[in-house]
Structure formats: C-alpha cells, structure tokens
Amino acid sequence: MRTQRTDPAPGFGDGALPPTTNGTSALPGDHVRHRLPARALRYRQVKSLLVWLPVAVAVSISAVIFPGLPPILRYALPAAAWLLLAVMTLVVPQISYRLFWYALSPAEIDVQHGAIIIRRTVLPMNRVQHLTVSQGPLAQRFRLSTVAIHTAAGKVDIAALDENEATLIRGQIAELARLSDDV
C-alpha cells in the first residue's frame, strides 16, 4: 500500500486538517491518500484487453467479409479499431491508475477515480449502510479485490485493492461506521 502524505500545517497537529490554498477547509483526502498496488495497473490493462481485443478482431473480420465496403472504410475501420484497442489498453488504464486514490478518516471516505471524467466522492461515515468485498476470476489471478461501500444513495467502489488491504479497509470502515459484523 503506497501512501502519499502531506504534513499538516503548523497548528494542525491535533488532527484538524489545514485550510487549502484558496482558504476553504481541506477534505480528508487532502491529508492522507492511499494508492493502488503496482499490479493493479497490469490488471486494468489485461481487463481492458479482454474487452477491446474482440471488438478490434470483429471489426477487422467484418471489413474482409463485406467486400462491398468502400476501400477507405475497408482499411480505416480496422485501423481505427486497433488504435482504439491500443489507447484503451495502454493509455487509459495508465491515466486511471495514476489519478486514483482514496482516503479514510473517522468521519468520511474520500475516493477519486476516472481517466477521462475524473470523479471525487466524499461519503460521510454515518451514511454507510453495508460493505461488500468481491473478487472476480481475473482479480483472483492478480490477488486483488474490490470493496463496495453501499449507502442509501448508491455505492462507491474501491477497486483493485490488494486482497489483504481490502479486508483491512472493510474492517476499518465497518468499525468507523459502527456496522455489525454478522459473518
């Protein structure tokens, strides 16, 4: 687990968060941010490859099967499909991996995710209704898990966490949100 820490401003050693540069109060994620393990990047790339490779192959085969296509489309569509495969497999997961972080505080859960559209979600701890930890076959191969935090308004996922870290986070959130553990 990689953590990016910023030292609190003078006078904020009591746990209070320092004000931001624009004078507003800082959010929990502005203080301590946790990153995903390095193998999460490879996991996201393989997952993307499994989605986009069949698309590129199907478009390429279609260009051969339908000889009535204008020559420009016969070559441009497969080229575009393979370019899209490269971007979605190599570039987007890299951006998403670098921009993702989460932070836990006794009062809130702060998560930033996305590659093209970047979202930052702050969940008050008292709104957490239940938690789930899941792991698909590909995630098992990479020893990664997803923690889903459910509220009345929906859910927020912290995906591609180390298995042990996911279990630890689930326990921390359950304790902070005062959820009973019936398992």
Side-chain angles (χ1 to χ4, degrees), residues 121-181:
T121 305
V122 179
L123 297 172
M125 207 56 83
N126 63 355
R127 300 289 188 209
V128 175
Q129 292 182 339
H130 71 276
L131 302 161
T132 57
V133 176
S134 61
Q135 187 180 51
L138 184 61
Q140 276 182 334
R141 169 78 175 96
F142 284 89
R143 299 180 330 273
L144 300 171
S145 296
T146 297
V147 174
I149 305 159
H150 299 267
T151 68
K155 88 174 176 159
V156 172
D157 290 335
I158 304 177
L161 291 166
D162 179 77
E163 292 172 325
N164 297 330
E165 187 177 351
T167 303
L168 179 67
I169 288 169
R170 181 196 169 277
Q172 286 176 340
I173 294 172
E175 183 179 318
L176 291 169
R178 293 178 175 84
L179 298 176
S180 63
D181 192 3

Side-chain angles (χ1 to χ4, degrees), residues 72-139:
I72 186 87
L73 287 180
R74 188 177 304 163
Y75 299 109
L77 287 177
W82 288 99
L83 178 63
L84 181 65
L85 169 72
V87 168
M88 296 305 289
T89 302
L90 300 173
V91 177
V92 172
Q94 184 75 249
I95 294 169
S96 176
Y97 175 78
R98 287 183 181 206
L99 293 176
F100 179 88
W101 57 263
Y102 71 93
L104 299 176
S105 78
E108 298 170 326
I109 304 160
D110 195 354
V111 180
Q112 177 176 292
H113 58 94
I116 298 167
I117 298 173
I118 301 167
R119 291 188 175 97
R120 185 169 178 185
T121 305
V122 179
L123 297 172
M125 207 56 83
N126 63 355
R127 300 289 188 209
V128 175
Q129 292 182 339
H130 71 276
L131 302 161
T132 57
V133 176
S134 61
Q135 187 180 51
L138 184 61

Side-chain angles (χ1 to χ4, degrees), residues 18-26:
T20 60
T21 55
N22 65 4
T24 61
S25 294

